[in-house]
Amino acid sequence: MDSFFLGRRRYPARGPTLVMGIVNVTPDSFSDGGRYLDPAAAILHGRQLVEAGADLLDVGGESTRPGSPGVDAACEQQRVLPVIEALARTVDVPISIDTTKPEVARAALDAGATVINDVRGLRAGDELARLAADRAASLILMHSRGTPADMQQQTHYDDLLGEVGAALGEAAETAMRAGVPRERLVLDPGIGFAKEAVDNLRLLNRLGRLVLLGYPVLVGPSRKAFLGKVTGLPVGERLMGTAAACVAAILAGARLVRVHDVALLLPGIRVADAIREERIR
């Protein structure tokens, strides 16, 4: 595959790393919960991320941090739809809806989103894939187990890379059987989701095995707990740890990174690109 789509935009399979900026419209996300719960604040934040260099925005209205209880579809829609509608009118980048609920995804696509980010990787069935196929949306499939409430009780792996790769490959096959073209699929190993800290390090160290599956790979290490285990630093002080994880992922072949601090991380991302390509653009 020499290119792939995010919504209506085609990107080369190889090229500068695409940066996904995070817009959490939630009161309880692990890092910035409540900061952008007000739609006006979330809209302004999304615009600022694009001005800082984000290539796409990921808007979510339900926290997926370990232990979070979840919300119903009506609440999730109330949070995200005004934000997506406003951003779709005012920024020139694809917008992703971070949800596991088909009814939320459908409303978000109606509001202007063109990418669905499914943190359950179609474990709930193929309805999100069928929706993506019907609407010509791109679909991000992330590896996880259980639900945010119980996923950290499901962290045993006999073969971490093999099991994660097999689950992602099966999810991609399910999506394609539902009608999603291969060029509209992105895979995410699920850093921090049903993983111990050492598992996250191993996934980053051996990410090349997942890249060999032949799909664009997205990695989302931003501010996560495993960085705190390594550095001893609280969530608000994990910028440099995030930068190191992003660089490792890029050098291993990741095509996209999902981050909170776009402006601060972008120089490091571009240096990693230059190292990987052995040239200055």
Side-chain angles (χ1 to χ4, degrees), residues 118 131 145 158 179 188 193-194 199 237 270:
D118 178 16
L131 176 61
R145 288 174 168 176
D158 293 319
D188 178 346
F193 286 76
D199 295 326
E237 299 177 22
R270 293 297 171 245

Side-chain angles (χ1 to χ4, degrees), residues 23-274:
V23 182
N24 284 325
V25 195
T26 61
D28 56 348
S29 291
F30 80 97
S31 175
D32 54 4
R35 189 172 180 184
Y36 306 114
L37 183 59
D38 176 71
I43 293 162
L44 176 60
H45 181 55
R47 291 171 179 162
Q48 290 172 336
L49 290 174
V50 173
E51 291 171 1
D55 297 289
L56 67 158
L57 297 176
D58 193 39
V59 180
E62 179 179 40
S63 175
T64 52
R65 63 178 173 79
S68 59
V71 299
D72 62 28
C75 177
E76 198 174 336
Q77 289 183 48
Q78 183 179 25
R79 291 173 179 177
V80 301
L81 294 184
V83 177
I84 291 171
E85 287 172 354
L87 290 174
R89 292 194 306 266
T90 57
V91 299
D92 189 27
V93 300
I95 297 172
S96 166
I97 174 62
D98 182 353
T99 189
T100 61
K101 301 180 182 71
E103 58 268 50
V104 175
R106 185 175 295 105
L109 295 177
D110 289 340
T114 57
V115 180
I116 301 169
N117 184 7
D118 178 16
V119 300
R120 292 191 183 180
L122 301 182
R123 287 187 292 109
D126 70 354
E127 192 171 353
L128 282 174
R130 288 187 283 110
L131 176 61
D134 289 343
R135 302 291 293 274
S138 297
L139 181 60
I140 300 170
L141 300 170
M142 194 189 80
H143 176 270
S144 62
R145 288 174 168 176
T147 67
D150 64 11
M151 63 184 177
Q152 289 310 109
Q153 283 73 58
Q154 301 186 49
T155 59
H156 173 77
Y157 297 88
D158 293 319
D159 174 10
L160 175 68
L161 270 293
E163 291 174 49
V164 170
L168 289 174
E170 290 170 10
E173 291 294 332
T174 297
M176 288 188 286
R177 285 195 299 271
V180 183
R182 184 185 181 98
E183 62 188 2
R184 290 193 176 275
L185 295 175
V186 174
L187 304 185
D188 178 346
I191 299 293
F193 286 76
K195 316 287 191 309
E196 300 291 349
V198 69
D199 295 326
N200 298 313
L201 298 175
R202 186 168 292 119
L203 283 169
L204 289 168
N205 186 42
R206 304 180 189 179
L207 190 69
R209 283 185 57 182
L210 301 182
V211 173
L212 289 175
L213 292 173
Y215 301 86
V217 171
L218 180 152
V219 175
S222 190
R223 303 179 183 174
K224 288 191 173 174
F226 81 100
L227 301 173
K229 290 286 184 69
V230 172
T231 64
L233 294 173
V235 65
E237 299 177 22
R238 295 175 186 165
L239 177 67
M240 297 308 295
T242 299
C246 286
V247 168
I250 291 164
L251 294 181
R255 190 66 182 83
L256 307 91
V257 291
R258 182 179 183 273
V259 300
H260 298 84
D261 303 292
V262 172
L264 295 173
L265 291 168
L266 196 57
I269 290 168
R270 293 297 171 245
V271 170
D273 286 339

